[in-house]
Amino acid sequence: MPSFTNQNDLYTFVGGIFEKAYQDPELGPKLSGTGAVLLVKCTDPDSEVVLDMPNKKVYPSVADSPVPPNATMRMNTDTANRFWQGKVNMTLAMAKGQVKTEGAIMKVLKLVPSTKSLFPIYIDDLKNAGRDDLLV
């Protein structure tokens, strides 16, 4: 299964898609309106990214974020990578224990259907970076 090769991949690709989402005239205000500061914490390799939605910022770690996360999603990097390519049903992955959540996660999960417009952008980002190894 394709997964990230180092902790910077999560920040670059998942963080990058959120930086683009924050600029989207429809999705940006929805994300900001959640009030969520989401920590995405992954394994294989161990990595994390903080998505500060109210302030429309992305940080490479909790240590770099001036705002503490109020929601956390834990998964392996393969699951994160496949989700952003439209290959993972988040609700089912949570039910199967592939994704574990805590905190104010319901606000974030309500927006999952809205993020589908970002899947092609994520895939293009992988291709443009020469990361065909991550395509599923």
Side-chain angles (χ1 to χ4, degrees), residues 57-76:
K57 300 284 185 185
V58 176
Y59 300 99
S61 71
V62 172
D64 295 309
S65 176
V67 181
N70 58 17
T72 302
M73 295 182 82
R74 299 176 195 277
M75 66 195 86
N76 64 38

Side-chain angles (χ1 to χ4, degrees), residues 4-8 10 40-48 75 77:
F4 300 132
T5 53
N6 60 56
Q7 62 185 8
N8 193 51
L10 182 70
V40 179
K41 194 158 183 72
C42 293
T43 58
D44 303 321
D46 289 345
S47 49
E48 64 184 29
M75 66 195 86
T77 59

Side-chain angles (χ1 to χ4, degrees), residues 73 75 79-80 83 88-95 99 101 109 112:
M73 295 182 82
M75 66 195 86
T79 301
F83 171 75
V88 172
N89 177 308
M90 189 57 70
T91 305
L92 186 58
M94 289 170 54
V99 175
T101 62
L109 292 178
V112 168

Side-chain angles (χ1 to χ4, degrees), residues 91-108:
T91 305
L92 186 58
M94 289 170 54
K96 289 181 172 183
Q98 296 168 331
V99 175
K100 295 180 173 133
T101 62
E102 58 190 62
I105 204 69
M106 291 312 293
K107 293 178 182 180
V108 176

